[in-house]
């Protein structure tokens, strides 16, 4: 592994940071999360048209930039640093790779150029609250996460030459505003049920969407109900095995989320260091006290270790190694501890709506609820590596 960035990667990070510093300050962030979509459409247009961010990891043949998932993960570090609310995670990290991996030639030619241009936003809808399990982050995604038969979930049935869907998904990132839904649904009845993906227009008849009140307002989620909705099968033939593709997307998403969390943790630490240099107690800046220095030094070491893990995971996504879950666990812990120390060292203002410190802590907790928690991410990684299989454990 070459630990240095390429000139192209450095340029992506630099230009993205400059844009977000100008367009996504704290006041702009607060205004954006209160909008019906949960993000600023003008900022999304700038990210798409000026930087090509939604198509960064898509092939040039489909209007993308032609970079890899590594560059997309590094870009997520900058969006995480600013806590920028946008459909990037839902559209470019989760939905677009599934269309690329599973779609027919006609579906790719129709959808991917619009996704790459940012004209079309998409969301991944899995039944219930099983997003982490579906992405194979906290368990084997070949299990019961999708429901099916008498277990509920989202059901698909053939009607003539098409399909109809019925069911509900509760943790759909940007599902209230996405124009395209990728829905995981069960087909085949109770005895021979299997999971397939379907394309559903966001405004189709029978689709009922409602934005949910979430702990992290910068990561909008929706409840999506499908009431006998017309759908198009993603891919060709209902014998398609979609679970390996979903698991692969989950690992790349974990690497992107790890980089995003590292960016947020680094920014939270940076703001805290700035503050302790200014706040005075007993006639001197509190940052000069040894106890404060030690606490911030511990956080710094934790953030740097998480950054190393996240960068390795971003590199590994295109080299056949799956370590995204472990990197995400370390990054989430680093973000949580960095944000918590920031709140404490900011004193009474640290957890007020008027200050931004609490947003970083909510991002850490919200991501653990969605994609973790950290101990389950590590436990699944250990099981997948067969770390404790066939070994005696000393009592």
């Amino acid at each position: 592994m070459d630990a240095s960035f390429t000139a192209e990667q450095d340029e992506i990070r630099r230009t993205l940071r400059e844009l977000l510093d100008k367009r996504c300050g704290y006041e702009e962030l607060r205004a954006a999360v209160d909008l019906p979509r949960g993000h600023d459409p003008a900022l999304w247009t700038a990210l798409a048209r000026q930087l090509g961010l939604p198509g960064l990891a898509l092939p040039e043949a489909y209007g993308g930039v032609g970079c890899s998932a590594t560059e997309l993960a590094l870009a997520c570090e900058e969006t995480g640093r600013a806590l920028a609310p946008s459909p990037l995670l839902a559209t470019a990290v989760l939905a677009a790779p599934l269309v690329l991996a599973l779609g027919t030639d006609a579906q790719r030619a129709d959808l991917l150029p619009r996704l790459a241009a940012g004209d079309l936003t998409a969301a991944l809808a899995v039944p219930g609250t099983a997003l982490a399990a579906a992405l194979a982050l906290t368990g084997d995604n070949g299990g019961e996460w999708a429901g099916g038969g008498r277990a509920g979930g989202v059901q698909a049935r053939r009607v003539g030459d098409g399909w109809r869907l019925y069911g509900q998904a509760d943790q759909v990132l940007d599902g209230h505003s996405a124009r395209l839904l990728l829905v995981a649904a069960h087909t085949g009845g109770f005895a021979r049920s299997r999971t397939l993906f379907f394309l559903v227009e966001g405004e189709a008849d029978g689709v009922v969407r409602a934005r949910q009140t979430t702990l992290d307002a910068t990561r909008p989620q929706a409840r999506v109900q499908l009431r006998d909705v017309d759908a198009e099968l993603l891919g060709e033939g209902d014998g398609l095995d979609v679970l390996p593709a979903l698991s692969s997307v989950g690992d790349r998403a974990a690497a992107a989320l790890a980089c995003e969390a590292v960016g947020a943790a680094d920014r939270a630490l940076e703001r805290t260091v700035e503050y302790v240099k200014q706040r005075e107690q007993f006639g001197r800046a509190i940052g000069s006290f040894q106890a404060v220095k030690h606490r911030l030094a511990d956080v710094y070491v934790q953030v740097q270790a998480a950054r190393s893990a996240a960068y390795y995971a971003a590199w590994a996504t295109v080299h056949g190694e799956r370590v995204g879950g472990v990197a995400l666990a370390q990054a989430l812990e680093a973000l949580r501890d960095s944000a918590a120390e920031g709140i404490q060292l900011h004193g009474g203002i640290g957890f007020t709506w008027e200050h931004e410190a609490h947003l970083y802590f909510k991002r850490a907790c919200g991501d653990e609820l969605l994609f973790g928690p950290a101990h389950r991410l590590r436990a699944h990684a250990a099981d997948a590596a067969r770390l404790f299989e066939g070994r005696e454990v000393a009592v």
Side-chain angles (χ1 to χ4, degrees), residues 41-309:
L43 176 61
W44 175 244
T45 299
L47 293 174
R49 300 289 171 81
Q50 296 181 26
L51 303 181
L53 211 56
L56 192 60
L58 290 177
E60 294 182 44
Y62 296 112
V65 178
C67 293
S68 69
T70 300
E71 283 72 25
L72 182 58
L74 294 176
C76 286
E77 182 181 1
E78 298 304 323
T79 61
R81 176 183 172 84
L83 296 182
S86 77
L88 181 67
L89 178 63
T91 299
V93 178
L94 296 177
L98 285 172
V99 175
L100 181 62
L102 301 174
T104 64
D105 291 340
Q107 288 170 338
R108 293 173 184 168
D110 175 41
L111 298 175
L112 290 179
R114 292 190 286 154
L115 290 170
D119 298 331
L120 178 67
T121 56
L124 174 64
V126 299
T129 57
L131 183 59
L135 294 173
L137 296 178
T138 57
D140 182 4
N141 72 345
E144 300 179 351
W145 61 269
R150 299 169 187 172
V154 178
Q155 306 300 314
R157 61 185 178 90
R158 281 191 179 276
V159 178
D161 295 332
W163 294 84
R164 292 283 183 88
L165 303 185
Y166 193 95
Q168 179 172 300
D170 294 313
Q171 289 179 330
V172 186
L173 296 173
D174 291 290
H176 60 294
S177 61
R179 294 175 52 200
L180 176 70
L181 301 175
L182 269 69
V183 183
H186 258 285
T187 181
F190 180 69
R192 296 182 297 171
S193 63
R194 58 183 294 110
T195 303
L196 296 173
F197 276 100
F198 296 87
L199 302 172
V200 176
E201 293 183 6
E203 299 297 331
D205 292 338
V207 176
V208 180
R209 306 188 287 180
R211 182 179 176 183
Q212 302 294 95
T213 300
T214 57
L215 176 63
D216 178 14
T218 67
R219 187 87 84 192
Q221 302 173 40
R223 174 181 292 124
V224 177
Q225 295 178 336
L226 305 160
R227 301 174 180 177
D228 207 26
V229 176
D230 288 325
E232 176 186 351
L233 179 66
L234 178 64
E236 192 169 5
D238 56 9
L240 189 65
D241 188 5
V242 305
L243 298 181
L246 185 58
S247 176
S248 179
V249 168
D251 184 73
R252 292 197 293 269
L257 287 162
C259 287
E260 191 184 71
V262 164
D266 185 65
R267 181 57 175 162
L269 176 60
E270 182 181 289
R271 292 301 303 271
T272 303
V273 171
E274 291 173 358
Y275 181 74
V276 299
K277 290 179 179 179
Q278 300 169 5
R279 180 185 172 191
E280 292 189 356
Q281 194 73 29
F282 306 111
R284 55 190 287 195
I286 65 171
S288 65
F289 297 131
Q290 191 176 46
V292 174
K293 291 180 180 180
H294 285 179
R295 290 171 68 170
L296 292 176
D298 288 341
V299 172
Y300 175 80
V301 171
Q302 192 174 9
V303 171
Q304 294 306 313
R307 173 176 279 118
S308 296

Side-chain angles (χ1 to χ4, degrees), residues 338-378:
S338 178
E341 286 290 359
I343 289 171
Q344 290 294 318
L345 294 176
H346 273 86
I349 65 170
F351 208 86
T352 61
W353 181 243
E354 291 76 15
H355 200 275
E356 64 180 297
H358 71 104
L359 293 177
Y360 289 92
F361 188 74
K362 289 177 178 178
R363 169 61 67 89
C365 295
D367 276 5
E368 282 214 66
L369 290 172
L370 271 173
F371 305 107
H375 71 271
R376 291 190 61 189
L377 290 166
R378 289 196 176 96

Side-chain angles (χ1 to χ4, degrees), residues 18-34:
E18 287 180 356
L19 176 63
L20 292 175
D21 285 345
K22 293 177 181 177
R23 303 286 295 272
C24 194
Y26 182 55
E27 295 302 323
E28 291 84 359
L29 172 62
R30 289 186 60 182
V33 298
D34 288 335

